[in-house]
Amino acid sequence: MTDTARTQASKARAMKRLRKRRAADGRFRYYGLSAILTALGALAVLIFTIGSQALSAATYHVVNYDITLDPAVIAPEGAGRPEDISRNVEGFYGLVRDNLIATFPEAAKDRASRREVADFVTRLAVLPTAQMVAEQPELVGTRITLTAPLNDDLDLYLKGQGVRERKLGVGAIAAIKGEVEGGYRVTGAGAFDAVVAALAVAAADLPADAAEPGVLLTAGPSTGRLTEISAGSGHLELLTGNIKDFARLQSKARLIVALESERTISDQQIAWTLALKDMGRIERVPRKTLLTNSDSTYPELAGGLAAIVGSLLTMLVTALVAMPIGIFAAVYLEEFAPKNRVTEFIEVNINNLAAVPSIVFGLLGAALYINFLGMPRSAPLVGGLVLALMTFPVVIIASRAALKAVPPSVRSGALAVGASQMQTVFHHVVPLAAPGILTGAILGMARALGESAPLLLIGMVAFVGDVPRSPTDESTVMPVLIFSWSNNAERAWEPLTSAMIIVLLAFLLLMNGLVVFLRRKYERRW
Amino acid sequence: MDTSQGNPMMDDSITPQPTKDGGPRIDCRNIKVFYGQAEAIHDVSMSFPDRAVTALIGPSGCGKSTFLRCLNRMNDTIENCRVEGKILMDGEDINDADVDPVLLRSRVGMVFQKPNPFPKSIYDNIAYGPRIHGLANGREDLDAIVEKSLRRAGLWEEVKDRLSAPGTGLSGGQQQRLCIARAIAVQPEVILMDEPCSALDPIATARIEELIDELRNRYCIVIVTHSMQQAARVSQRTAFFHLGNLVEMGDTGQIFTNPREKRTEDYITGRFG
Ligand SMILES: Nc1ncnc2c1ncn2[C@@H]1O[C@H](COP(=O)(O)OP(=O)(O)OP(=O)(O)O)[C@@H](O)[C@H]1O
Ligand SMILES: [Mg+2]
């Protein structure tokens, strides 16, 4: 073989190796990129699904009631003190119900209707107004506008998330004639063409023996139930309002497939809601109560304040216990402890502790703090201590990593000018490791903030309607509240749960932001 | 701090006291150093005169740094490192149980191979030692110590306008002089230097060598170096180590011109190393 041939062969081999190496580089970059994209995609889906749900709970519908604060009802003889007024839920609620009945006289006709109209607003929704009047007794006897949230099912209906309906156009109604069995015959050439077509489509999708979908006809504030529908006529049973509106105003039809008996809201309630909306008495407003109210059995009144305060108190206890223990243990182990079997054993066990499932800490906490030491159940004190057990191994591990990262030259420099070991550690090493230590501590706390399982075991899952005032009060925390809400049956809890998750995520984001801030501010290069 | 022993740290002047009898400042007898089971220094005896520079030379891994660290008990801070033998400083064994290594290190300063200023301001780098040892009465006193130390290390003119700037922001050579200033600020009697110029360019090296020459008038200096020229330039005494043994020790001139041992000659002429 000649020299040139040999060099050419080795050149070809080198080219081949180069190609192989480049291909490997490219593959690796591709794997990395797809891993990142997968992670980002999962995050985006999570944020999007929870966020879009939460967005619907960020606002809700409230109804305005113009009521006169009749002294005989609000502050009757012998019950006129402010604390009596603030407790007089029944009186205020009565005024609201009377206002509704005045607006819709047909609601007074029988017990069932009274109950239906009473469902519009929950009793407890008048409490803020009662408290306001108690603080300003001069309001008694005056006319005020009481604003109360709309029933959660009707709220969902107005948001288009509750009962499914199709809105259909209706032609001009030419004639309305009273009929013998009650109700009216409404006629107009081709007025209900669209409704008939939609009914035909709906019928094709339904089983043969299913009942026909209901159709509501609305004109302005008036609504009736439409039956016996043909292209040019139908039988209208007036639910609320004035029959003349149908001749005067443009009508609209709503086709509701779900049977009335299978819905949480009746045709009558829908009719009244549409009427209130038409009168401009229903507004969609931001749901501030999510952050200012405590838990309630009624979704339209429920809020997370008690849980937020409970979480903060719990975190306070956790921080006060886990951070000093974790940091001092880390400093001791890293800087002072002799490197021997015992230290190694302790180290291994701390690492194991960090890997113990959190629910085990809950069991331990229940046994130790509640059964043995007799601390109160459901209290942030116990919750904080349980979470501290769970957090401090994490703090130790993170702090040790931060201490290890301090270059040994700093230590020997300090020792060489005659600093004692303690001075070396506390004047030089710990300040340099502080951002890392704090980062670890805050991330450990963030994990604790999102923890629910161990707290369930120490009874922090109880319904808590009052904001806890001290770490020994009965309390719950945000993740547990989310857990309980998600277990509730009513549909309205679903968006509310998402909204609460967003609040929790906001707190976590805040803590992570703090980490970034601390790092930026105090991290030093050397 | 025990003042009855007349610890020079308590003196107002930075100048250390001369040795009592003019004899060697440090006298090492039968030093053995073990890392775990491995013996890194085999039975070395040697002494270091006051107001002179002693150079330790030898191939890499022969135990120069290990031996140097015995002199301020920095080996104590290394896991499983054990020192045997007597090291007498002014007649007192520094390994005695009642000698506090922290106090000892304030009397025996050390400068490391890689400049390691604290990640603090230039001022605080110097002031840290005097502060923890209570050498200054008030702010003005401390300012004076800082200025004096920086002047003596030949750094004052370059940094006097930015004393609050971080010490880690200086150039490598400036950092090393800062470390020397930091070492002399606590008024030591002995200064140990472990390859102080190995990370520096020739100009910065020359600057430090000048500095060592000046410091020689006041301190007992021990320097580890890999540069034969440097050893020849700055030291009065030279000790050659090989594989943990002290092969030869003598006046620098004699070692470089007329070594007694074959191994020494081979090393300084570059035949192995
Ligand atoms: N911390 C340690 N643990 C175990 N062995 C060590 C340790 N430090 C040094 N040694 C060993 O002791 C011997 C002497 O090391 P030393 O650092 O004193 O050498 P040196 O002469 O300073 O070398 P160099 O010129 O490369 O700095 C070497 O064999 C080394 O491997
Ligand atoms: Mg060395």
Side-chain angles (χ1 to χ4, degrees):
Chain A
M1 205 194 276
T2 66
D3 263 6
T4 40
R6 192 177 299 143
T7 47
Q8 243 154 28
S10 79
K11 217 177 201 169
R13 268 202 308 279
M15 285 307 287
K16 206 172 149 197
R17 265 206 311 278
L18 190 66
R19 264 203 306 282
K20 240 173 127 174
R21 206 188 67 218
R22 287 212 177 123
D25 280 2
R27 261 200 313 279
F28 177 76
R29 217 167 295 155
Y30 171 76
Y31 294 151
L33 209 63
S34 48
I36 288 177
L37 287 181
T38 311
L40 281 183
L43 194 67
V45 168
L46 176 86
I47 298 283
F48 178 77
T49 46
I50 296 180
S52 58
Q53 277 268 10
L55 218 53
S56 102
T59 59
Y60 66 160
H61 290 92
V62 293
V63 187
N64 294 320
Y65 304 93
D66 284 324
I67 54 172
T68 305
L69 296 172
D70 185 356
V73 180
I74 298 308
E77 208 62 40
R81 291 170 307 157
E83 54 268 39
D84 295 325
I85 294 177
S86 75
R87 246 182 274 131
N88 191 3
V89 170
E90 219 39 63
F92 282 91
Y93 181 67
L95 292 177
V96 168
R97 199 185 39 210
D98 293 348
N99 172 282
L100 278 174
I101 291 175
T103 314
F104 305 116
E106 66 274 13
K109 70 175 186 280
D110 54 28
R111 278 182 77 112
S113 303
R114 278 171 178 281
R115 195 169 311 124
E116 276 180 327
V117 82
D119 272 351
F120 260 70
V121 49
T122 59
R123 278 180 167 64
L124 290 172
V126 301
L127 205 57
T129 309
Q131 276 156 357
M132 184 189 79
V133 175
E135 275 164 31
Q136 299 164 265
E138 67 274 11
L139 287 175
V140 174
T142 62
R143 203 169 167 72
I144 62 163
T145 302
L146 185 152
T147 304
L150 184 64
N151 171 296
D152 57 290
D153 290 316
L154 294 167
D155 176 54
L156 277 186
Y157 168 73
L158 284 182
K159 287 172 180 166
Q161 293 170 339
V163 174
R164 296 243 160 256
E165 63 172 21
R166 268 191 70 190
K167 288 189 191 131
L168 300 163
V170 170
I173 289 167
I176 299 172
K177 199 167 80 200
E179 288 200 335
V180 261
E181 68 275 27
Y184 305 86
R185 170 66 44 188
V186 288
T187 46
F192 304 124
D193 277 348
V195 180
V196 172
L199 278 172
V201 172
D205 289 346
L206 288 170
D209 56 343
E212 191 157 278
V215 178
L216 296 180
L217 196 65
T218 308
S222 307
T223 301
R225 197 185 281 132
L226 195 65
T227 46
E228 302 167 19
I229 306 165
S230 66
S233 92
H235 175 81
L236 186 70
E237 183 193 335
L238 195 62
L239 291 167
T240 186
N242 191 330
I243 189 66
K244 285 180 189 143
D245 286 342
F246 291 93
R248 226 161 29 88
L249 302 167
Q250 171 67 48
S251 301
K252 233 186 285 164
R254 288 157 199 275
L255 188 144
I256 303 176
V257 176
L259 284 183
E260 195 175 11
S261 57
E262 286 164 5
R263 294 186 229 134
T264 47
I265 52 177
S266 65
D267 286 350
Q268 182 69 69
Q269 284 174 322
I270 291 176
W272 285 332
T273 307
L274 293 175
L276 284 173
K277 189 148 192 235
D278 189 70
M279 293 174 211
R281 283 177 57 182
I282 293 187
E283 286 174 276
R284 191 166 180 171
V285 297
R287 192 197 288 261
K288 293 198 198 95
T289 52
L290 188 68
L291 298 177
T292 58
N293 275 11
S294 292
D295 200 6
S296 164
T297 41
Y298 303 98
E300 66 267 35
L301 295 181
L305 181 64
I308 291 172
V309 173
S311 270
L312 292 182
L313 285 173
T314 308
M315 283 304 106
L316 189 74
V317 175
T318 306
L320 286 181
V321 176
M323 288 189 23
I325 292 184
I327 293 171
F328 277 105
V331 168
Y332 178 77
L333 280 175
E334 200 52 49
E335 303 290 332
F336 294 98
K339 304 266 176 297
N340 58 21
R341 280 272 169 77
V342 181
T343 322
E344 214 168 274
F345 179 76
I346 292 175
E347 267 183 55
V348 169
N349 278 294
I350 287 172
N351 292 345
N352 285 342
L353 215 54
V356 168
S358 56
I359 195 143
V360 176
F361 288 108
L363 284 170
L364 176 67
L368 178 67
Y369 298 128
I370 296 177
N371 295 341
F372 186 68
L373 294 176
M375 291 185 183
R377 285 179 69 82
S378 319
L381 176 66
V382 179
L385 287 173
V386 167
L387 293 180
L389 278 182
M390 203 189 86
T391 308
F392 85 83
V394 180
V395 177
I396 291 181
I397 291 172
S399 304
R400 290 190 64 182
L403 290 167
K404 259 200 192 97
V406 174
S409 66
V410 170
R411 291 185 184 81
S412 40
L415 288 172
V417 295
S420 68
Q421 201 179 357
M422 182 130 140
Q423 286 168 331
T424 303
V425 169
F426 286 101
H427 294 169
H428 298 280
V429 180
V430 170
L432 284 176
I437 291 178
L438 280 183
T439 304
I442 294 174
L443 288 181
M445 301 284 297
R447 208 188 102 172
L449 180 66
E451 198 58 67
S452 56
L455 301 181
L456 297 178
L457 291 177
I458 56 154
M460 287 190 90
V461 70
F463 177 86
V464 178
D466 292 320
V467 178
R469 284 167 196 286
S470 80
T472 51
D473 285 351
E474 187 164 84
S475 167
T476 186
V477 293
M478 282 188 267
V480 174
L481 185 72
I482 290 168
F483 171 73
S484 343
W485 281 4
S486 69
N487 276 345
N488 287 345
E490 270 176 271
R491 278 265 345 251
W493 289 105
E494 213 175 289
L496 215 53
T497 308
S498 297
M500 203 58 215
I501 290 174
I502 294 290
V503 174
L504 178 61
L505 287 182
F507 272 89
L508 292 174
L509 218 62
L510 205 73
M511 292 177 89
N512 287 347
L514 194 67
V515 167
V516 173
F517 172 77
L518 285 174
R519 276 207 169 280
R520 283 272 160 82
K521 184 140 197 269
Y522 295 108
E523 193 160 64
R524 299 227 216 165
R525 314 224 164 271
W526 54 78
Chain B
M1 191 188 306
D2 193 352
T3 48
S4 63
Q5 291 180 351
N7 193 316
M9 268 172 41
M10 296 304 289
D11 286 1
D12 283 335
S13 129
I14 274 186
T15 316
Q17 294 189 328
T19 45
K20 281 159 225 148
D21 51 1
R25 188 90 214 207
I26 302 176
D27 197 5
C28 304
R29 293 185 195 155
N30 309 101
I31 304 300
K32 288 180 181 169
V33 183
F34 301 86
Y35 289 111
Q37 295 302 312
E39 192 175 309
I41 299 284
H42 314 290
D43 201 6
V44 168
S45 299
M46 67 185 292
S47 60
F48 299 92
D50 199 13
R51 296 172 191 239
V53 178
T54 307
L56 306 185
I57 60 172
S60 185
C62 67
K64 307 178 296 289
S65 300
T66 303
F67 185 73
L68 195 69
R69 280 198 301 267
C70 294
L71 304 180
N72 67 345
R73 287 184 63 176
M74 281 295 267
N75 280 332
D76 291 14
T77 63
I78 296 174
E79 277 306 318
N80 73 48
C81 180
R82 191 160 48 83
V83 178
E84 276 178 16
K86 264 183 188 288
I87 300 173
L88 301 175
M89 192 171 160
D90 299 342
E92 188 193 359
D93 188 355
I94 64 167
N95 285 320
D96 252 7
D98 58 347
V99 169
D100 180 13
V102 171
L103 274 186
L104 173 73
R105 283 179 211 136
S106 71
R107 295 170 63 193
V108 183
M110 188 160 190
V111 176
F112 298 84
Q113 173 171 5
K114 224 176 120 224
N116 60 346
F118 301 132
K120 297 175 187 280
S121 72
I122 292 172
Y123 184 94
D124 286 337
N125 260 284
I126 311 293
Y128 179 71
R131 248 188 223 135
I132 57 172
H133 295 299
L135 297 186
N137 307 311
R139 178 82 195 189
E140 278 156 41
D141 214 9
L142 195 59
D143 288 350
I145 292 180
V146 169
E147 181 176 343
K148 211 166 181 177
S149 309
L150 283 172
R151 273 192 196 286
R152 201 160 284 172
L155 194 59
W156 176 251
E157 290 303 324
E158 288 158 70
V159 301
K160 64 177 182 218
D161 299 323
R162 46 170 174 153
L163 288 177
S164 57
T168 42
L170 296 173
S171 79
Q174 289 173 324
Q175 287 189 17
Q176 195 60 298
R177 277 180 278 151
L178 182 66
C179 290
I180 294 175
R182 179 176 74 186
I184 56 186
V186 289
Q187 303 170 11
E189 298 151 49
V190 180
I191 300 179
L192 312 177
M193 299 185 177
D194 194 349
E195 302 180 41
C197 301
S198 65
L200 304 183
D201 72 275
I203 295 173
T205 302
R207 201 81 194 73
I208 303 248
E209 283 177 9
E210 252 169 60
L211 176 58
I212 294 172
D213 221 36
E214 279 165 38
L215 294 174
R216 169 165 66 93
N217 300 325
R218 301 164 188 273
Y219 302 96
C220 164
I221 296 176
V222 185
I223 177 171
V224 172
T225 178
H226 276 287
S227 155
M228 297 307 118
Q229 293 87 340
Q230 185 169 59
R233 277 194 302 265
V234 301
S235 72
Q236 285 73 52
R237 309 261 302 157
T238 298
F240 172 61
F241 279 73
H242 186 227
L243 297 176
N245 293 302
L246 174 62
V247 177
E248 188 171 352
M249 160 121 195
D251 285 338
T252 300
Q254 175 251 313
I255 293 275
F256 279 95
T257 54
N258 186 20
R260 278 190 298 272
E261 294 274 336
K262 176 88 172 63
R263 277 182 291 173
T264 317
E265 189 181 342
D266 287 348
Y267 181 69
I268 57 180
T269 54
R271 239 163 281 164
F272 79 86

